[in-house]
Amino acid sequence: MGTSAPARQSLLSTGERRALYEEMVLSRVFETEAERQYKAARIGGYCHLSSGQEATTAGVVRAMTPGDLLVTGYRCHGFALARGVSPDAVMAELFGRSEGCAHGRGGSMHLLDVQRGFYGGWGIVAGQLPIATGLALALVRQGRSDAVVCELGDGAVNMGAWHESLNLAALWRLPVVFLVVNNGYGMGTAVERASAEPELHKRASAYDMPGERVDGDDVDAVIETTSRLLAAAREERQPAVLEALTYRYRGHSVADAGLAYRSKDEIAERQSRDPLVRIRAQLLDAGLGDDDLDAIDREADERVAAAVAFAEASAEPPVDRLAFGMHALGSGEQFARMRPGSPFGEHELTFDAGLGA
Amino acid sequence: MGTSAPARQSLLSTGERRALYEEMVLSRVFETEAERQYKAARIGGYCHLSSGQEATTAGVVRAMTPGDLLVTGYRCHGFALARGVSPDAVMAELFGRSEGCAHGRGGSMHLLDVQRGFYGGWGIVAGQLPIATGLALALVRQGRSDAVVCELGDGAVNMGAWHESLNLAALWRLPVVFLVVNNGYGMGTAVERASAEPELHKRASAYDMPGERVDGDDVDAVIETTSRLLAAAREERQPAVLEALTYRYRGHSVADAGLAYRSKDEIAERQSRDPLVRIRAQLLDAGLGDDDLDAIDREADERVAAAVAFAEASAEPPVDRLAFGMHALGSGEQFARMRPGSPFGEHELTFDAGLGA
Amino acid sequence: MTATAIASETMTYREALRLALREELGRDERVFLMGEEVGVFDGAYKVSAGLLDEFGPDRIRDTPISEEGFVGAGVGAAMLGERPVVEIMTINFLLVAMDQVINHAAKIGAMFGGEVRCPLVIRTPNGAGNQLTAQHSQSFDGWFAGTPGLKVVAPATPADAKGLLKAAIRDDDPVLVIENLRVYTTKGEVPLDDEHVTPIGRANVAREGADLTIVSHGYATVRALAVADRLAEEDGVSIEVVDLRSLRPLDLETVARSVTKTSRVLCVEEGWPSYGVTAELCARIQRACFDDLDAPVERVGMAEVPLPYAKNLEHAALPNEDRVAAAVRATLDLAPAAA
Amino acid sequence: MTATAIASETMTYREALRLALREELGRDERVFLMGEEVGVFDGAYKVSAGLLDEFGPDRIRDTPISEEGFVGAGVGAAMLGERPVVEIMTINFLLVAMDQVINHAAKIGAMFGGEVRCPLVIRTPNGAGNQLTAQHSQSFDGWFAGTPGLKVVAPATPADAKGLLKAAIRDDDPVLVIENLRVYTTKGEVPLDDEHVTPIGRANVAREGADLTIVSHGYATVRALAVADRLAEEDGVSIEVVDLRSLRPLDLETVARSVTKTSRVLCVEEGWPSYGVTAELCARIQRACFDDLDAPVERVGMAEVPLPYAKNLEHAALPNEDRVAAAVRATLDLAPAAA
Ligand SMILES: Cc1ncc(C[n+]2csc(CCOP(=O)(O)OP(=O)(O)O)c2C)c(N)n1
Ligand SMILES: Cc1ncc(C[n+]2csc(CCOP(=O)(O)OP(=O)(O)O)c2C)c(N)n1
Ligand SMILES: [Mg+2]
Ligand SMILES: [Mg+2]
């Protein structure tokens, strides 16, 4: 397989690896709970889980500096948590509550935290790519030496937005790394059934841009490769494609059993190589004890339970703020003369609800 | 330059070469006249000339069989003529007359002749690519062993539609050759300022598709390469990209002087290698006399003069057929109940004007 | 089901669409279905479930995520005489393919002087689901209905889902069939006759009434009928419901006939009313029925905000039955004198 | 120009836009212009002529032909605090970028709970040119004006071209500035004051009159004013012209005030009226002014066909002055009794 071998000797100290394990476990536990809450009808909408992809998520974010920016698709719980958004704010968002990171307006697909450089959580396949390109352009215009990580799935590489964004990024030398999380399927469509060039990283050559493929379940390799590409982006404004090979254990979303297009055996085979098991073994080798690690697992359970409690306690967004955030402050003045003849009930629903008046 | 060398010994008989010369001269003379008529305000809209690109146009069409299909962008006068659409029908279309090939509804950018397998003349950059892909899909579904030639410009390769179309064509093995007419500029933008990979044919590799570059001013090379790629498309359903390097003598459209973004010297240098001069020299070598060739030139002048006369004599499309062709026969019945409350004058303008009633 | 009626069966809207597809695929070799997940996955909303096994991968064609590409492929195939039915997972994703629909499919007939036609069908659901949020809960119905060269239908019942989809497939022009995420599971009687075709351009008086007319399409008609029953009970008012079924062409004759009778009208839609479908209805009704109206033409739709995620906000923003009922009452309250 | 007026100059609409760009580029480092041919080529319609030399290639940025890509790049740059002005050569090409405008730019403020803003400006001309044909002669104004989260302005005069473009650039929300191919060469007085900013959401009574109100925007306002002068002469009727200037928000207060005075109204637009801007105007006016109207709200726009190439057909299809005048006369003819 054309994946770059894991770094000869790991760059990670045991403490760092332990911290990564904490992140990965937290993500797994959080999403397992999210699925339970979804089935209990306390979470709605689409709910896309990334169980199985934790090494990619945690590894990529670990390679980012605080000044770097992150943009993702809709499968973003793990990225938000890895970037440091509190489980409380994420769970509250899934519950649609005021204290959610998008104040209950965005839900599972539209998490964000601009203080942490996380610019969303987007739901249109490949729609985030042009936006990531623009963020990178802004970094350059502002003289910053940070870079953008733009996550997308294997299915997104067949959208026109991929092509236009990569061409712009390469033509203008913008500091952005396009992270293709290749989990084998776009909904029920295997990569080979969607892309005429199934080695997705090779498509970077059409833009004279470097493209690499990495074993996305090998957290060391993910960190090493991402770090290298991000450094080139920051220092030389060299954009790149990074394809991480991983696997999604659950269905496309909680509504999908995920068995119509792949075999139980295939899933079992992949789960037998679970990145969590891998890193746990590495930590045991490094001298940590099972009790240490079990403690981490327990803490994750408790942290997630606390997040659920927080979300439950958080208030629903007030209906009289239906249009909250839609427009900037001062816009109410602009809309003031629109009321005559408005559709029935429009005033109450919109004009009186946070047009930045 | 990475262009494939002209076929060792030409595939063309002197008679065939003579016929090509006739086509190329006709195109040149036709467009020179079109520019004159445009400036005399008898032709409106945009008017994109292909003077300088005749070897590519005539060579590619020469390699097509009668069953093959052709789709182009808006710079399509030469393609229509080469495919055998009569100068009368083309000039009448430019004049906006009933006997134009689109009955005066399409104009310069939207020529077509479905009897000759020419499915238009399209004006949105790269918009014709998905359509060409669909025509190729239809050929396959209908069990035909014909292929589609889809013309586009160097500027069109940066549109998302290029990417999606090439991926579909390769994934589904559709018989289509994407002809990139690289004339160096998209309006005022040089290829290197628009495409991160200026060797446009190389982009085919992103779809695991063959891509070749040819000297578009060498009619033998164009015919040889196009024939080979079309054969593979017909026989193996192998799509391909063919990049033809040529040059546009006039501005982007008649409205553009074409000097703001390139030097007079550059234009002069290219004109010194005029494909018409080249093929004329070849014919002289082959034993034809200047008088023969001058006769061809004169015939072209007469043919174009006759086309202008035909266009002038052709009637304007009747205003009471404003919506002619918009809908299929029988649609009038469907629209019959739409009249109450219609915008002022709508009946006269639309409903009574060819809703296939 | 009366004795004289043609054999019919109760089924969901989703099943009715599937029946129409199966019948047309069986009837005409040129018909094929193309879209994301229509095959192996049985369709994102299961409309095409089972059809892959029955008709094979050439006629039930899974596509990459490339709406612009495969909508355009449908346009091209249609130009060469095929009868493509393109499924767009939801109408929100049609925005990446607008150029092919508006600048290409809609232009072909007129721009080429009638020399070539484009018998393309695009099927897609509009509207809100269950907290799908701002990018996944839209309705652009009026944009397409306002585009000359297109035909647009929006069935509200299983019977019309079958009849209008079949009509669209048999039509020689590009037709957009607008379905709805919430209507898929609604049930109704569907004629089994494989010649059951609902004519394009004919509205349907779904419920007779005397006091007020509600004009709607798609899922809004389901809401309207529920409100009509409820207000008949609670307020003893008699509401007539005109289900448009077609948005282009629009059957104003049927709408005007009803308004002339009731003198009061409320237009309801799932999408944003401003610059929407109900705007066009108001414009035509006030012109066609100027002397008959006892009150202004009223309308209700989705609150004019990107639909928020939170359940309570989503409910408040949608044209729910309470909001429709309130609008009906307000419209009836206006004294004729006021007019 | 009276003595008290601020210094102003006669210039074309095109020059007024250039002046606004130059002033804002000079005022605010975050402002930059991006689009096809805006630099070396001086702009397809020469709006940005000379700005490349003045501000350099970083601030006057030529792009590949990739509308979806660079509109989205504008969205992203705006989210990080830049003030991008994206030029789209004509509104027809915005169809390949709809997803970025509607599903992204318009959603950001609300969908992310007010955590981030998108101060993006998109400038583009609509309408017919000189026989540009079906794919190049459209106006989708109502589509954008009907999208919550966007603001849409459409200046009709050079002074407003400067004032509204500056207002758009200074606004913290995404604003679409709709120009027009034919209006670029029109001339008018333009204040030279670099604080000349036309507030968004304020219509302008461009001409006072008593008998009938014409409501329009963009180039249709130019036509309306010409028709008003002509009919004052020919028929001795007094027409008031309300130039909307903003389509979202819409200043119905000013429109209603005028209609209350004249009791008759004609809405005119360059695009197709069905499901268009004039549909929304009819809907709101009939509701706001129900008791004041002596005749139905009338409208005129482009004939509902893909615009044909032939000169005579194009002229017949556009809302030319004869068609507008005929509509005015018809609206005035209706006896108040009829209402
Ligand atoms: C333009 C567009 N088309 C279709 C969809 C529906 N859709 C949502 S996710 C998805 C599959 C994406 O697969 P991939 O890119 O591999 O990401 P993954 O779900 O595997 O993380 C599809 C088709 C969409 N959101 N946007
Ligand atoms: C989507 C789109 N954007 C912009 C335009 C305006 N436009 C027309 S032709 C052209 C340049 C195309 O250049 P190229 O592809 O090289 O073709 P050439 O004109 O050289 O034949 C542009 C930008 C358009 N027609 N469509
Ligand atoms: Mg995937
Ligand atoms: Mg070119």
Side-chain angles (χ1 to χ4, degrees):
Chain A
M1 185 169 75
T3 69
S4 56
R8 220 45 76 257
Q9 50 167 38
S10 170
L11 311 162
L12 295 173
S13 70
T14 300
E16 290 170 321
R17 190 180 303 281
R18 186 180 191 286
L20 277 170
Y21 179 72
E22 287 175 3
E23 277 181 25
M24 289 165 67
V25 170
L26 178 64
S27 180
R28 178 73 58 91
V29 172
F30 184 96
E31 290 199 311
T32 306
E33 180 62 22
E35 180 165 12
R36 197 176 303 123
Q37 294 294 339
Y38 185 95
K39 289 176 172 162
R42 294 155 91 195
I43 294 174
Y46 296 122
C47 188
H48 307 90
L49 308 179
S50 56
S51 309
Q53 305 180 182
E54 291 89 350
T56 294
T57 309
V60 165
V61 174
R62 164 58 53 109
M64 295 172 65
T65 58
D68 290 335
L69 307 181
L70 174 67
V71 180
T72 73
Y74 44 83
R75 199 176 297 279
C76 56
H77 304 155
F79 282 97
L81 295 170
R83 191 62 178 172
V85 184
S86 91
D88 294 350
V90 177
M91 191 63 81
E93 191 56 39
L94 301 194
F95 273 56
R97 303 301 171 90
S98 295
E99 284 157 296
C101 55
H103 307 295
R105 271 57 176 197
S108 166
M109 298 190 289
H110 307 302
L111 304 174
L112 88 161
D113 185 337
V114 295
Q115 280 65 38
R116 291 181 170 77
F118 178 29
Y119 280 82
W122 300 86
I124 304 296
V125 168
Q128 73 274 28
L129 274 71
I131 289 173
T133 306
L135 288 167
L137 174 61
L139 287 175
V140 171
R141 296 202 75 244
Q142 294 169 12
R144 288 172 56 176
S145 59
D146 303 305
V148 179
V149 170
C150 177
E151 183 271 349
L152 59 135
D154 50 274
V157 302
N158 302 308
M159 290 289 289
W162 153 275
H163 178 66
E164 297 191 11
S165 302
L166 269 70
N167 186 59
L168 283 177
L171 188 70
W172 292 346
R173 292 194 69 81
L174 301 177
V176 54
V177 172
F178 296 97
L179 169 70
V180 181
V181 178
N182 182 348
N183 56 13
Y185 300 87
M187 289 185 81
T189 305
V191 171
E192 320 73 60
R193 293 208 299 129
S195 178
E197 173 46 86
E199 293 195 47
L200 307 179
H201 60 288
K202 292 188 175 172
R203 284 193 159 166
S205 69
Y207 315 98
D208 193 19
M209 188 193 283
E212 294 194 35
R213 177 183 261 192
V214 66
D215 175 354
D217 297 336
D218 177 340
V219 74
D220 297 275
V222 171
I223 294 173
E224 185 276 327
T225 315
T226 310
S227 303
R228 204 160 24 77
L229 296 177
L230 277 175
R234 293 189 206 98
E235 293 152 26
E236 303 146 42
R237 291 178 49 178
Q238 173 61 65
V241 168
L242 172 57
E243 176 185 10
L245 295 173
T246 180
Y247 197 79
R248 142 170 80 70
Y249 293 159
R250 317 295 300 130
H252 168 68
S253 72
V254 175
D256 167 33
L259 292 169
Y261 48 88
R262 56 184 189 177
S263 69
K264 282 210 168 70
D265 294 356
E266 177 183 307
I267 301 171
E269 191 279 323
R270 293 303 301 238
Q271 283 177 319
S272 71
R273 303 192 267 121
D274 191 326
L276 281 179
V277 175
R278 248 203 241 192
I279 188 172
R280 188 179 170 109
Q282 293 166 340
L283 286 166
L284 290 170
D285 293 350
L288 270 70
D290 269 310
D291 46 357
D292 295 338
L293 301 173
D294 294 345
I296 292 176
D297 299 353
R298 265 198 314 284
E299 280 156 28
D301 293 337
E302 287 155 15
R303 189 71 197 78
V304 169
V308 169
F310 176 89
E312 284 169 337
S314 179
E316 288 188 333
V319 170
D320 66 7
R321 308 303 289 162
L322 197 56
F324 178 77
M326 176 164 68
H327 284 300
L329 285 174
S331 301
E333 167 62 12
Q334 296 172 344
F335 280 81
R337 297 194 190 176
M338 193 167 175
R339 300 187 180 193
S342 282
F344 183 84
E346 204 51 39
H347 302 185
E348 302 67 30
L349 283 168
T350 308
F351 294 105
D352 301 335
L355 272 184
Chain B
M1 184 171 79
T3 68
S4 56
R8 222 43 79 257
Q9 50 166 38
S10 169
L11 311 163
L12 295 173
S13 70
T14 301
E16 290 170 321
R17 190 179 303 279
R18 187 180 189 285
L20 277 170
Y21 179 73
E22 287 176 0
E23 277 179 26
M24 290 165 66
V25 170
L26 177 64
S27 180
R28 178 74 57 90
V29 172
F30 184 96
E31 290 200 310
T32 307
E33 180 62 22
E35 180 165 13
R36 197 176 303 122
Q37 294 295 339
Y38 185 96
K39 289 178 172 163
R42 294 156 90 197
I43 294 174
Y46 296 122
C47 187
H48 307 89
L49 308 180
S50 56
S51 308
Q53 306 179 182
E54 291 89 351
T56 293
T57 309
V60 166
V61 174
R62 163 58 52 108
M64 295 172 65
T65 58
D68 290 335
L69 307 181
L70 175 67
V71 180
T72 73
Y74 45 82
R75 198 177 298 280
C76 56
H77 304 155
F79 282 97
L81 295 172
R83 191 59 177 171
V85 184
S86 93
D88 295 350
V90 177
M91 192 63 80
E93 190 57 39
L94 301 195
F95 274 55
R97 303 302 171 88
S98 295
E99 284 157 295
C101 55
H103 307 295
R105 271 56 176 200
S108 167
M109 296 190 290
H110 307 301
L111 305 174
L112 87 162
D113 185 337
V114 294
Q115 279 65 37
R116 292 181 170 77
F118 178 30
Y119 280 83
W122 300 86
I124 304 296
V125 167
Q128 72 273 30
L129 274 71
I131 289 174
T133 306
L135 288 167
L137 174 60
L139 287 176
V140 170
R141 296 203 73 242
Q142 294 168 13
R144 288 171 57 176
S145 59
D146 303 305
V148 179
V149 170
C150 178
E151 182 271 350
L152 60 137
D154 50 274
V157 302
N158 302 307
M159 290 288 290
W162 153 275
H163 177 66
E164 297 190 10
S165 301
L166 269 69
N167 186 58
L168 282 176
L171 188 69
W172 292 345
R173 291 194 69 82
L174 301 177
V176 53
V177 172
F178 296 97
L179 169 70
V180 181
V181 177
N182 182 348
N183 57 14
Y185 300 87
M187 289 185 83
T189 306
V191 171
E192 319 73 60
R193 293 208 299 129
S195 178
E197 172 46 86
E199 292 197 47
L200 307 179
H201 61 289
K202 291 188 176 172
R203 285 193 159 165
S205 69
Y207 315 98
D208 193 19
M209 188 192 284
E212 293 195 36
R213 177 182 260 192
V214 66
D215 175 355
D217 297 336
D218 177 341
V219 74
D220 297 276
V222 171
I223 294 173
E224 184 275 327
T225 316
T226 311
S227 302
R228 202 159 26 75
L229 296 178
L230 277 174
R234 293 190 206 99
E235 293 151 26
E236 302 146 43
R237 291 177 49 180
Q238 174 61 65
V241 168
L242 173 57
E243 176 186 11
L245 296 173
T246 181
Y247 197 80
R248 139 169 82 71
Y249 293 159
R250 316 297 298 135
H252 168 69
S253 73
V254 176
D256 167 34
L259 292 170
Y261 47 89
R262 55 185 189 175
S263 69
K264 282 212 167 72
D265 293 355
E266 177 183 305
I267 301 171
E269 191 279 323
R270 294 301 304 238
Q271 283 176 321
S272 72
R273 303 191 269 121
D274 191 326
L276 281 179
V277 176
R278 246 203 242 190
I279 189 171
R280 189 179 169 108
Q282 293 165 340
L283 286 166
L284 290 171
D285 293 349
L288 270 70
D290 269 311
D291 46 357
D292 294 338
L293 301 173
D294 293 343
I296 292 177
D297 299 353
R298 264 198 316 282
E299 280 157 27
D301 293 338
E302 288 155 15
R303 190 70 197 78
V304 169
V308 170
F310 177 89
E312 284 169 337
S314 180
E316 289 188 334
V319 169
D320 65 8
R321 308 302 288 162
L322 197 58
F324 178 77
M326 176 164 67
H327 284 300
L329 286 173
S331 301
E333 168 63 12
Q334 297 173 344
F335 280 81
R337 296 194 190 175
M338 193 166 175
R339 300 188 182 194
S342 283
F344 182 85
E346 203 51 42
H347 300 187
E348 303 66 29
L349 283 169
T350 310
F351 294 106
D352 302 335
L355 273 181
Chain C
M1 208 180 103
T2 74
T4 56
I6 310 155
S8 69
E9 219 174 67
T10 304
M11 63 181 81
T12 63
Y13 188 102
R14 173 185 286 129
E15 291 163 337
L17 289 169
R18 189 181 306 145
L19 179 59
L21 286 170
R22 180 179 289 112
E23 287 176 359
E24 295 305 298
L25 283 159
R27 182 185 62 81
D28 184 347
E29 262 301 315
R30 302 169 304 170
V31 177
F32 67 101
L33 177 69
M34 169 163 65
E36 291 153 16
E37 307 302 333
V38 296
V40 173
F41 200 83
D42 276 342
Y45 296 100
K46 307 306 171 199
V47 169
S48 56
L51 296 181
L52 174 62
D53 294 342
E54 199 171 337
F55 297 98
D58 168 54
R59 304 196 57 201
I60 307 297
R61 185 175 286 265
D62 278 324
T63 67
I65 310 172
S66 306
E67 285 83 358
E68 182 174 19
F70 66 78
V71 167
V75 173
M79 289 177 79
L80 210 63
E82 299 294 301
R83 296 275 167 167
V85 178
V86 173
E87 173 175 309
I88 299 291
M89 207 175 279
T90 76
I91 201 167
N92 308 283
F93 312 142
L94 210 38
L95 293 196
V96 295
M98 288 308 275
D99 178 58
Q100 284 300 320
V101 178
I102 307 299
N103 280 338
H104 294 83
K107 302 296 184 276
I108 289 167
M111 186 172 83
F112 290 129
E115 288 289 314
V116 55
R117 305 230 62 83
C118 181
L120 169 72
V121 173
I122 298 175
R123 290 179 39 236
T124 192
N126 74 358
N130 160 30
Q131 295 182 257
L132 301 184
T133 319
Q135 292 188 308
H136 288 82
S137 308
Q138 305 173 93
S139 303
F140 305 112
D141 312 3
W143 299 11
F144 299 97
T147 301
L150 294 183
K151 295 172 182 174
V152 181
V153 298
T157 67
D160 284 337
K162 178 185 177 183
L164 285 170
L165 178 52
K166 286 170 73 85
I169 292 171
R170 297 180 182 196
D171 201 89
D172 291 327
D173 288 322
V175 182
L176 175 67
V177 179
I178 299 177
E179 304 165 5
N180 172 277
L181 289 176
R182 293 185 175 186
V183 87
Y184 281 137
T185 51
T186 59
K187 293 189 167 195
E189 281 292 292
V190 177
L192 299 180
D193 173 5
D194 59 18
E195 284 308 307
H196 168 69
V197 176
T198 307
I200 292 173
R202 298 288 178 270
N204 175 43
V205 178
R207 186 185 198 279
E208 303 233 337
D211 304 335
L212 176 143
T213 300
I214 296 181
V215 185
S216 55
H217 71 280
Y219 190 65
T221 294
V222 177
R223 299 187 194 265
L225 290 167
V227 169
D229 291 344
R230 171 176 149 190
L231 293 188
E233 193 142 306
E234 294 177 9
D235 304 15
V237 296
S238 160
I239 296 175
E240 178 146 309
V241 176
V242 176
D243 175 20
L244 291 169
R245 299 201 290 198
S246 291
L247 298 180
R248 189 179 195 90
L250 199 54
D251 179 358
L252 238 291
E253 244 172 64
T254 298
V255 172
R257 198 176 307 115
S258 174
V259 173
T260 305
K261 179 174 74 175
T262 63
S263 306
R264 293 170 191 270
V265 55
L266 172 68
C267 306
V268 184
E269 72 183 299
E270 291 298 297
W272 298 301
S274 288
Y275 299 91
V277 170
T278 51
E280 182 62 20
L281 291 170
C282 291
R284 287 177 182 261
I285 293 169
Q286 64 89 30
R287 187 171 191 241
C289 309
F290 188 71
D291 301 335
D292 306 309
L293 288 167
D294 287 343
V297 185
E298 295 282 342
R299 53 184 173 153
V300 171
M302 181 157 92
E304 306 220 334
V305 297
L307 196 65
Y309 168 76
K311 204 180 197 62
N312 64 321
L313 297 185
E314 176 178 69
H315 177 75
L318 292 176
N320 62 65
E321 295 181 19
D322 295 339
R323 288 183 57 215
V324 174
V328 168
R329 288 176 170 139
T331 311
L332 287 167
D333 283 353
L334 298 174
Chain D
M1 211 179 105
T2 75
T4 56
I6 311 158
S8 69
E9 221 175 66
T10 305
M11 63 180 79
T12 62
Y13 188 102
R14 172 185 287 129
E15 291 163 337
L17 290 169
R18 190 181 307 145
L19 178 58
L21 286 170
R22 180 178 289 114
E23 287 176 0
E24 295 305 298
L25 283 159
R27 183 186 60 81
D28 185 347
E29 261 302 316
R30 302 169 304 169
V31 177
F32 67 101
L33 178 68
M34 170 163 65
E36 290 154 17
E37 307 302 331
V38 296
V40 173
F41 199 83
D42 276 343
Y45 296 100
K46 306 307 170 200
V47 169
S48 55
L51 296 181
L52 174 63
D53 295 341
E54 200 172 337
F55 297 98
D58 169 54
R59 313 236 1 236
I60 307 297
R61 183 175 287 265
D62 278 324
T63 66
I65 310 172
S66 306
E67 285 83 0
E68 182 174 21
F70 65 79
V71 166
V75 173
M79 289 176 79
L80 211 63
E82 298 294 302
R83 295 276 168 166
V85 177
V86 173
E87 172 175 310
I88 298 291
M89 207 174 279
T90 77
I91 201 167
N92 307 282
F93 313 141
L94 210 40
L95 293 197
V96 294
M98 288 307 276
D99 178 58
Q100 285 300 319
V101 178
I102 306 300
N103 281 338
H104 295 82
K107 303 297 184 276
I108 289 167
M111 187 172 82
F112 290 128
E115 288 289 314
V116 54
R117 306 230 61 82
C118 181
L120 169 72
V121 173
I122 298 176
R123 288 179 40 235
T124 192
N126 74 358
N130 160 31
Q131 294 181 258
L132 302 184
T133 318
Q135 292 188 307
H136 289 81
S137 307
Q138 305 174 95
S139 304
F140 305 112
D141 312 5
W143 299 11
F144 299 97
T147 300
L150 294 183
K151 295 171 182 175
V152 181
V153 298
T157 67
D160 284 336
K162 178 185 176 183
L164 285 170
L165 177 53
K166 286 170 73 86
I169 292 171
R170 298 179 182 195
D171 201 89
D172 290 327
D173 288 323
V175 183
L176 175 68
V177 180
I178 299 176
E179 304 165 4
N180 172 276
L181 288 176
R182 292 185 175 185
V183 88
Y184 281 138
T185 52
T186 59
K187 293 189 168 195
E189 280 292 293
V190 176
L192 298 180
D193 173 5
D194 57 19
E195 285 307 306
H196 168 69
V197 176
T198 307
I200 292 173
R202 298 287 177 269
N204 175 42
V205 178
R207 186 184 196 280
E208 304 234 333
D211 304 334
L212 177 143
T213 301
I214 295 182
V215 186
S216 55
H217 70 281
Y219 189 64
T221 295
V222 177
R223 299 187 195 266
L225 289 168
V227 168
D229 291 344
R230 172 176 146 190
L231 293 189
E233 191 141 306
E234 294 177 8
D235 303 14
V237 296
S238 160
I239 295 175
E240 180 148 306
V241 175
V242 176
D243 175 20
L244 291 170
R245 299 201 292 197
S246 291
L247 298 180
R248 188 178 195 92
L250 198 54
D251 178 359
L252 239 291
E253 242 172 65
T254 299
V255 172
R257 198 177 307 114
S258 174
V259 173
T260 305
K261 179 175 74 176
T262 62
S263 306
R264 293 169 191 272
V265 55
L266 172 69
C267 306
V268 183
E269 70 184 301
E270 290 299 296
W272 297 302
S274 288
Y275 299 92
V277 171
T278 51
E280 182 62 19
L281 291 170
C282 290
R284 287 177 182 259
I285 294 169
Q286 63 88 32
R287 187 171 192 243
C289 310
F290 188 71
D291 300 336
D292 306 309
L293 288 167
D294 287 343
V297 185
E298 294 283 340
R299 53 184 174 154
V300 171
M302 181 157 91
E304 306 221 333
V305 297
L307 195 65
Y309 167 76
K311 205 179 197 63
N312 64 321
L313 297 185
E314 176 178 69
H315 177 76
L318 293 175
N320 62 66
E321 296 181 18
D322 295 338
R323 289 183 57 215
V324 174
V328 168
R329 288 177 171 136
T331 310
L332 287 168
D333 283 351
L334 298 173

